[in-house]
């Protein structure tokens, strides 16, 4: 099957040029001048010609932080690999990197094998895995090496959630030392969970049980403290460090300080920290429970700092931390915010939200939009240049994006398996129009043309560490 996408503006992290994209099978074989003889003859014989006049043609999005079909929390995550990845395709994200996790008795390879088997044949977009690490012992670093060989080259550790996922500084250091040897990347949930749990207990004892106290009790100072400590541990271990879901100006200052010292310290933020804030957690009638995630939504003034960090490359990646729970599941925490399951649904909207906040609202460039949503996660997580760009030889994961197609986000129209939208009514200027997954047209306007199983598992390389 050959396809020519003609007349569009091809946007990568570097360029924005009028060019035609030529696809043979699953691969891009040319990005050529629209008036060239090469383009005319290819398009003349192609099986399919897509007119992208007036559109941007961008590399498929890569969401490097999702939790699909996970059971680790007080309630099961609602999006399955099937529903979550179809929603992902609708949103122009053609690759996800999901978090494999451990159940009570499992060792690291068991958790990975189970999650891999659960996903097999179910995904509508390509997928890889990070591994969530807890219960570190002498065997864990050896297991880590085994997983790197299976294409799992990043490991999430938790300074939060004592008694559940938490690792102490010694356990973290041991894994960082191993990462320094095997080239993998330690991803850190940086919040001082021990201190936070004391403050949460005190709040509940006072009768402060509403969702907003989830935000108030998780101070950004304790996020910054954990980032600082994680940086120190990684510096001693000689390993790179990637902070996941960074939410506050305080934490960002620590990342900036580390990068200014030349350390390989990286960070992602998420759309929820750029578009939602502590006031959402304070919505009346328990509605704030829909906005519970950790780290929590912050007071609005943090947002401009995060946008600046994205502009200056102090933040490299935007991922969603997609982890949806429905309204009924949120009720578990009616009388105590500590029992509300943590996580928000955003996977489907990342590309459009980030286009809106970055490009349409003039904060960050068009190229940088592509970079933080696709190219940087591809480089960070060993997928580049197969993914994350449009170049001869790269996978034909492509989004035809209409920059002038106003619409509103809503639970009525989204495809994520959750009965509300945290972004209900929000107005978007640009819209995903068509999506190709390795040369197959899977989204055409409102129509899904793919099927579960289109997505394949990607054995990832190690990080390029050069961002
Ligand atoms: O609230 C969140 N972020 N839930 C998902 C688990 C995690 O810590 O990433
Ligand atoms: Zn986390
Ligand atoms: Zn997460």
């Amino acid at each position: 099957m050959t396809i020519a996408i003609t007349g569009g503006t091809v946007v990568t992290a570097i360029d924005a040029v009028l060019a035609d994209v030529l696809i043979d099978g699953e691969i891009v074989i040319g990005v050529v001048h629209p008036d060239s003889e090469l383009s005319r003859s290819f398009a003349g014989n192609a099986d399919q010609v897509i007119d992208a006049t007036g559109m941007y043609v961008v590399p498929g999005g890569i969401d490097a932080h999702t939790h699909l079909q996970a059971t680790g929390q007080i309630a099961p995550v609602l999006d399955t690999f099937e529903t979550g990845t179809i929603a992902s395709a609708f949103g122009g994200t053609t690759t996800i990197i999901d978090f494999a996790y451990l159940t009570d008795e499992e060792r690291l390879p068991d958790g990975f094998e189970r999650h891999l088997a659960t996903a097999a044949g179910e995904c509508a977009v390509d997928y890889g895995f990070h591994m969530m690490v807890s219960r570190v012992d002498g065997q864990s670093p050896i297991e880590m090496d085994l997983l790197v060989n299976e294409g799992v080259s990043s490991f999430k550790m938790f300074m939060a959630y004592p008694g559940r996922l938490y690792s102490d500084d010694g356990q973290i250091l041991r894994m960082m030392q191993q990462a320094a040897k095997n080239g993998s990347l330690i991803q850190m949930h940086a919040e001082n969970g021990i201190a936070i749990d004391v403050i949460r207990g005190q709040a509940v004892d006072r009768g402060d049980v509403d969702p907003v106290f989830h935000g108030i009790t998780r101070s950004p100072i304790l996020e910054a403290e954990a980032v600082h400590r994680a940086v120190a541990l990684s510096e001693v271990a000689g390993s790179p460090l990637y902070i996941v879901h960074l939410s506050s100006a305080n934490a960002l200052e620590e990342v900036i300080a580390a990068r200014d010292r030349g350390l390989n310290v990286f960070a992602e933020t998420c759309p929820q920290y750029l578009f939602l804030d502590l006031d959402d957690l304070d919505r009346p009638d328990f509605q704030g429970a829909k906005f519970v995630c950790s780290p929590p939504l912050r007071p609005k003034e943090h947002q401009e700092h995060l946008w600046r960090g994205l502009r200056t490359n102090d933040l490299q990646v935007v991922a969603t931390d997609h982890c949806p729970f429905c309204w009924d599941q949120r009720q578990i925490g009616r009388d105590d915010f500590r029992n509300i399951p943590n996580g928000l649904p955003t996977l489907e909207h990342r590309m459009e939200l980030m286009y809106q906040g970055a490009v349409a609202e003039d904060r960050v460039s068009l190229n940088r939009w592509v970079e933080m949503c696709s190219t940087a996660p591809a480089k960070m997580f060993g997928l580049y240049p197969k993914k994350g760009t449009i170049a001869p030889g790269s996978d034909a994961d492509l989004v035809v994006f209409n920059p002038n197609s106003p619409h509103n986000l809503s639970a009525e129209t989204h495809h994520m398996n959750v009965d509300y939208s945290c972004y209900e009514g929000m107005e978007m200027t640009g819209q995903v129009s068509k999506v190709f997954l390795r040369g197959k047209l899977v989204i055409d306007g409102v129509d899904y043309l793919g099927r579960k199983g289109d997505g394949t598992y990607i054995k990832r390389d190690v990080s390029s560490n050069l961002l």
Side-chain angles (χ1 to χ4, degrees):
M1 175 90 169
T2 53
I3 304 170
I5 302 177
T6 62
T9 301
V10 175
V11 185
T12 65
I14 305 292
D15 297 312
V17 288
L18 272 176
D20 296 345
V21 181
L22 315 182
I23 301 166
D24 189 356
E26 299 193 344
I27 303 293
V28 172
I29 58 161
V31 181
V32 299
H33 195 289
D35 293 334
S36 63
E37 179 49 36
L38 179 57
S39 184
R40 268 193 293 275
S41 72
F42 188 90
N45 294 306
D47 297 313
Q48 204 175 4
V49 178
I50 305 283
D51 180 8
T53 306
M55 306 277 179
Y56 293 134
V57 181
V58 302
I62 298 173
D63 192 338
H65 192 150
T66 66
H67 301 270
L68 297 180
Q69 223 162 324
T71 57
Q73 287 205 47
I74 200 162
V77 170
L78 281 184
D79 262 322
T80 61
F81 280 106
E82 180 181 356
T83 63
T85 55
I86 290 173
S88 174
F90 269 106
T93 291
T94 49
T95 303
I96 61 162
I97 312 179
D98 197 71
F99 281 88
Y101 59 95
L102 296 178
T103 59
D104 281 351
E105 305 302 325
E106 286 174 334
R107 305 284 321 176
L108 295 179
D110 307 323
F112 163 64
E113 293 293 348
R114 175 187 38 73
H115 210 54
L116 183 68
T118 308
E122 295 294 311
C123 291
V125 300
D126 285 352
Y127 59 100
F129 293 119
H130 317 283
M131 188 76 224
M132 276 161 66
V133 176
S134 55
R135 304 193 297 267
V136 172
D137 59 20
Q139 189 62 21
S140 307
I142 298 161
E143 294 173 348
M144 192 189 200
D145 288 355
L146 296 176
L147 290 184
V148 173
N149 287 332
E150 296 297 322
V152 180
S153 53
S154 38
F155 298 85
K156 182 175 177 190
M157 302 196 75
F158 296 81
M159 300 168 112
Y161 309 137
R164 208 159 59 82
L165 295 164
Y166 174 84
S167 292
D168 67 28
D169 292 353
Q171 291 171 316
I172 290 169
L173 183 72
R174 274 161 89 172
M175 294 304 266
M176 285 177 167
Q177 288 169 331
Q178 197 68 15
K181 288 185 200 153
N182 63 30
S184 66
L185 187 60
I186 297 292
Q187 303 165 283
M188 192 59 70
H189 182 133
E191 286 186 292
N192 184 328
I194 302 273
I196 285 170
D197 271 9
V198 171
I199 298 166
R200 277 152 64 92
Q202 290 165 343
V204 172
D205 289 347
R206 279 196 309 270
D208 292 337
V209 295
D210 291 338
V212 71
F213 291 101
H214 172 79
I216 291 168
T217 56
R218 302 183 85 94
S219 166
I221 298 170
L222 294 175
E223 185 184 17
E225 183 279 328
V227 171
H228 186 90
R229 192 157 29 102
V231 168
L233 293 169
S234 69
E235 189 173 4
V236 168
S239 70
L241 172 69
Y242 177 92
I243 306 293
V244 288
H245 47 46
L246 186 139
S247 69
S248 66
N250 312 55
L252 178 59
E253 285 310 311
E254 295 293 338
V255 171
I256 292 171
R259 289 177 65 80
D260 284 352
R261 288 201 293 120
L263 297 176
N264 271 340
V265 171
F266 311 102
E268 82 185 13
T269 191
C270 312
Q272 51 270 35
Y273 302 120
L274 297 162
F275 289 89
L276 308 172
D277 63 64
L278 186 65
D279 288 346
D280 291 303
L281 272 169
D282 202 16
R283 291 195 194 188
D285 303 324
F286 197 60
Q287 294 289 320
K290 294 175 178 173
F291 297 87
V292 168
C293 59
S294 294
L297 302 181
R298 302 299 188 184
K300 202 170 181 51
E301 54 268 26
H302 287 261
Q303 292 175 355
E304 62 179 289
H305 296 267
L306 300 182
W307 281 113
R308 191 196 64 216
L310 288 169
R311 205 166 53 239
T312 56
N313 199 37
D314 287 309
L315 294 168
Q316 295 75 43
V317 172
V318 176
T320 60
D321 196 5
H322 179 78
C323 189
F325 299 99
C326 69
W327 177 235
D328 256 8
Q329 290 174 303
R330 300 286 194 182
Q331 305 305 317
I332 310 166
R334 267 261 173 205
D335 302 323
D336 183 341
F337 68 84
R338 293 176 300 181
N339 295 328
I340 301 171
N342 279 218
L344 304 190
T346 307
L347 175 54
E348 186 169 350
H349 299 319
R350 185 183 63 122
M351 298 289 283
E352 291 180 4
L353 279 167
M354 293 313 297
Y355 180 83
Q356 184 62 30
V359 185
E361 294 173 14
D362 220 9
R363 290 188 183 90
V364 179
S365 75
L366 184 64
N367 300 109
R368 185 86 183 122
W369 168 60
V370 170
E371 187 169 23
M372 62 201 185
C373 290
S374 180
T375 316
K379 290 179 176 175
M380 189 69 67
F381 295 109
L383 299 168
Y384 189 83
K386 191 173 153 66
K387 310 282 189 193
T389 193
I390 303 176
S394 62
D395 280 358
D397 296 343
L398 300 164
V399 178
V400 178
F401 191 86
N402 185 344
N404 297 305
S405 180
H407 65 289
N408 298 88
L409 302 183
S410 174
E412 304 273 299
T413 48
H414 75 202
H415 302 84
M416 299 177 287
N417 188 26
V418 60
D419 53 0
Y420 58 85
S421 173
C422 291
Y423 307 93
E424 189 65 45
M426 223 177 255
E427 205 172 301
M428 299 290 106
T429 309
Q431 189 163 33
V432 170
S433 171
K434 291 185 192 331
V435 179
F436 292 85
L437 174 69
R438 281 179 283 102
K440 176 174 176 177
L441 182 63
V442 291
I443 299 293
D444 192 1
V446 295
D447 297 324
Y448 176 58
L449 307 178
R451 56 172 188 83
K452 72 172 187 172
D454 281 343
T456 57
Y457 173 66
I458 310 168
K459 251 181 147 172
R460 291 183 296 115
D461 211 337
V462 294
S463 173
S464 71
N465 281 342
L466 287 174
L467 287 149

